């Protein structure tokens, strides 16, 4: 019996395989119920009592060793297999999924490009601003409701330092440093103290445009607005100007475009009016020009401002404003083709 154990041990040590099926065949040959080692275990009861101890020990060693070898073979075999695959240098690379531009960036770029084609250059200003640039220079009376704590985030209870509530502050910053002609477009983030819901957020984005020169008229403004609306929403788009009020423009207006969903026929989106509001505009108030060191009797200008989220909603029908800041890739990937 000892001889048989010895010869099986040798066989076990020398086991070689070419694939996973062969490992299984060896396991069956040696370790299954009817396998060689199990047979020896059965024969063990015929071993003379005084030899049982030695033979038993050897038999157990054989069984353990066989198990160990089978497991080793399994390990080396799977390792070898994965290494083989990894080492295939001719394999095609995994596709790299590119990121996408954020929808707000896509629309911002489109707006800036349209004004860029009209000769406007981009200007930027700080998001943490002072009262002068956001309110006072723009003709907001000291008790104007827009200065209210409800709307404005102030920094450390200092009533002079605040997060800008609109990008009109960049108008002042540029005009203070530049004499006309001034022709700028100012994209940027703005902040307002609003309860967050599907239609309002405490921060959003605006684009402001400003043109100051000699003899700038409301007709110039209207023509630029029409060009802009057609470029952004299609050549069939119509515009309509409604009188409005902003402290920094006189006269002021709000612009509607013919609803881009129903073409102006009336639908739930435009509340069956055929029109949707997209921006505020007007002739720069002479006080504002004077406040910035530009002679309001010599120069005139127009300004306009719009919310990028609003325009993006009109273009892509995003129902919930919060989607823009949640970074959910399932939402963002939908804009892959618009990049
Ligand atoms: N600043 C205004 C707002 O935040 C938008 C605006 C309206 C900007 C009229 C302008 C303008 O330049 O002329 O609601």
């Amino acid at each position: 019996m000892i001889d048989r154990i010895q010869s099986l041990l040798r066989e076990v040590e020398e086991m070689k395989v070419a694939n996973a099926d062969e490992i299984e065949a060896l396991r069956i040959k040696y370790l299954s119920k009817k396998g060689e080692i199990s047979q020896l275990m059965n024969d063990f009861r015929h071993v003379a009592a005084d030899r049982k101890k030695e033979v038993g020990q050897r038999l157990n060693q054989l069984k353990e060793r066989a198990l160990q070898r089978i497991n080793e073979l399994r390990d080396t075999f799977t390792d070898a297999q994965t290494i083989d695959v990894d080492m295939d240098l001719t394999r095609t690379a995994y596709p790299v999924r590119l990121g996408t531009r954020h929808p707000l960036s896509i629309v911002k770029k489109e707006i800036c490009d349209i004004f860029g084609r009209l000769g406007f250059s981009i200007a930027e200003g700080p998001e943490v601003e002072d009262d002068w640039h956001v309110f006072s220079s723009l003709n907001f009376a000291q008790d104007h409701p827009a200065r209210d704590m409800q709307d404005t985030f102030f920094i450390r209870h200092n009533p002079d330092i605040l997060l800008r509530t609109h990008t009109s502050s960049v108008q002042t910053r540029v005009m203070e440093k530049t004499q006309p002609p001034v022709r700028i477009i100012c994209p940027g983030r703005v902040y307002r103290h609003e309860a967050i819901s599907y239609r309002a957020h405490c921060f959003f984005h605006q684009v402001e445009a400003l043109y100051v020169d000699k003899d700038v008229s409301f007709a110039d403004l209207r023509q630029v607005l029409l060009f802009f609306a057609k470029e952004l929403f299609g050549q069939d788009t119509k515009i309509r100007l409604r009188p409005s009020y902003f402290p920094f423009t006189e006269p002021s207006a709000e612009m509607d475009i013919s609803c881009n969903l129903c073409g102006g026929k009336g639908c739930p989106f435009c509340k069956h009016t055929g029109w949707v509001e997209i921006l505020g505009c007007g002739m720069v108030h002479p006080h504002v020009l004077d406040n910035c060191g530009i002679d309001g009797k010599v120069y005139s200008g127009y300004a306009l401002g719009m919310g990028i989220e609003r325009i993006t909603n009109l273009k892509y029908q995003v129902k919930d404003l919060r989607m823009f800041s949640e970074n959910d890739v399932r939402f963002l990937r939908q804009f892959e083709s618009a990049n």
Side-chain angles (χ1 to χ4, degrees), residues 165-166 168 171 192 206 208-209 246 248-249 280-282 303-305:
T165 55
H166 55 182
S168 304
Q171 290 188 15
R192 285 186 201 175
Q206 286 187 335
E208 184 88 9
F246 300 103
F248 38 91
T249 45
C281 58
L304 57 104

Side-chain angles (χ1 to χ4, degrees), residues 134 138 140 165-169 171 190 192 204 206-210 221 244-254 277 279-284 302-307:
V134 176
L138 294 168
F140 280 81
T165 55
H166 55 182
T167 44
S168 304
S169 55
Q171 290 188 15
V190 301
R192 285 186 201 175
F204 55 100
Q206 286 187 335
V207 176
E208 184 88 9
L210 172 74
L221 168 62
S244 183
Y245 172 77
F246 300 103
F248 38 91
T249 45
E250 179 56 38
S252 304
E254 270 165 325
E277 185 198 318
L279 55 77
C281 58
M283 301 306 291
V284 181
Y302 62 72
L304 57 104
M306 70 193 98

Side-chain angles (χ1 to χ4, degrees), residues 304-318:
L304 57 104
M306 70 193 98
I308 302 181
E309 276 81 352
R310 171 131 189 98
I311 307 276
T312 310
N313 279 346
L314 285 173
K315 277 187 85 81
Y316 297 111
Q317 283 89 50
V318 179

Side-chain angles (χ1 to χ4, degrees), residues 242-299:
R242 282 180 291 103
S244 183
Y245 172 77
F246 300 103
F248 38 91
T249 45
E250 179 56 38
S252 304
E254 270 165 325
M255 180 174 94
D256 299 339
I257 57 162
S258 49
C259 176
N260 62 321
L261 283 192
C262 62
K265 285 191 210 76
C267 69
F269 188 72
C270 59
K271 301 200 183 80
H272 301 283
T273 61
W275 296 96
V276 282
E277 185 198 318
I278 68 163
L279 55 77
C281 58
M283 301 306 291
V284 181
H285 199 296
H287 285 174
V288 175
L289 296 175
D290 289 339
N291 283 341
C292 300
I294 291 175
D295 190 341
K297 289 191 204 69
V298 178
Y299 294 103

Side-chain angles (χ1 to χ4, degrees), residues 58-294:
R58 296 244 187 159
L59 206 48
N60 279 335
Q61 277 165 6
L62 171 65
K63 189 177 174 183
E64 252 167 54
R65 186 62 192 138
L67 263 173
Q68 218 174 25
R69 285 283 296 140
I70 296 263
N71 286 337
E72 272 171 23
L73 286 174
R74 278 194 184 131
D75 286 351
T76 52
F77 191 73
T78 44
D79 280 357
Q81 206 176 30
T82 44
I83 286 166
D84 269 349
V85 173
D86 276 355
M87 293 302 285
D88 179 3
L89 300 180
T90 63
R91 194 196 61 204
T92 321
Y94 292 121
V96 177
R97 194 148 189 186
L98 293 179
T100 61
R101 249 184 231 267
H102 193 279
L104 295 176
S105 304
I106 295 171
V107 172
K108 176 180 86 177
K109 183 173 179 300
E110 217 177 318
I111 296 170
C112 291
D113 285 351
I114 295 171
F115 279 94
R117 294 202 285 280
L118 293 171
F120 286 73
S121 47
I122 292 178
E124 280 174 342
E127 290 176 16
V128 179
E129 262 292 7
D130 51 33
D131 179 279
W132 169 253
H133 290 94
V134 176
F135 296 128
S136 299
S137 67
L138 294 168
N139 213 22
F140 280 81
Q142 208 56 48
D143 57 355
H144 193 283
R147 292 170 180 246
D148 198 300
M149 291 288 282
Q150 298 265 308
D151 286 319
T152 310
F153 286 116
F154 291 91
I155 307 286
R156 290 180 187 240
H157 308 290
N158 180 343
D160 194 43
I161 306 295
L162 44 95
L163 296 179
R164 67 180 178 193
T165 55
H166 55 182
T167 44
S168 304
S169 55
V170 187
Q171 290 188 15
T172 308
R173 291 224 164 244
V174 172
M175 285 194 286
E176 279 174 341
K177 284 202 228 89
T178 329
Q179 281 299 307
V182 173
R183 199 190 269 128
I184 50 161
I185 176 114
C186 328
R189 181 173 288 180
V190 301
Y191 301 83
R192 285 186 201 175
H193 191 295
E194 302 257 11
I196 296 171
S197 73
Y198 74 98
R199 51 198 292 267
H201 213 297
C202 57
F203 69 84
F204 55 100
H205 302 81
Q206 286 187 335
V207 176
E208 184 88 9
L210 172 74
Y211 178 39
V212 184
D213 204 346
K214 284 184 180 145
D215 302 325
V216 177
S217 71
F218 201 94
D220 297 329
L221 168 62
R222 194 183 178 287
Q223 206 51 37
V224 162
L225 291 173
L226 183 63
F227 175 80
F228 170 69
K230 285 178 179 248
E231 288 292 294
L232 195 60
F233 291 103
Q235 292 304 313
D236 295 335
T237 310
K238 295 183 186 58
I239 65 166
R240 162 174 104 168
L241 291 168
R242 282 180 291 103
S244 183
Y245 172 77
F246 300 103
F248 38 91
T249 45
E250 179 56 38
S252 304
E254 270 165 325
M255 180 174 94
D256 299 339
I257 57 162
S258 49
C259 176
N260 62 321
L261 283 192
C262 62
K265 285 191 210 76
C267 69
F269 188 72
C270 59
K271 301 200 183 80
H272 301 283
T273 61
W275 296 96
V276 282
E277 185 198 318
I278 68 163
L279 55 77
C281 58
M283 301 306 291
V284 181
H285 199 296
H287 285 174
V288 175
L289 296 175
D290 289 339
N291 283 341
C292 300
I294 291 175

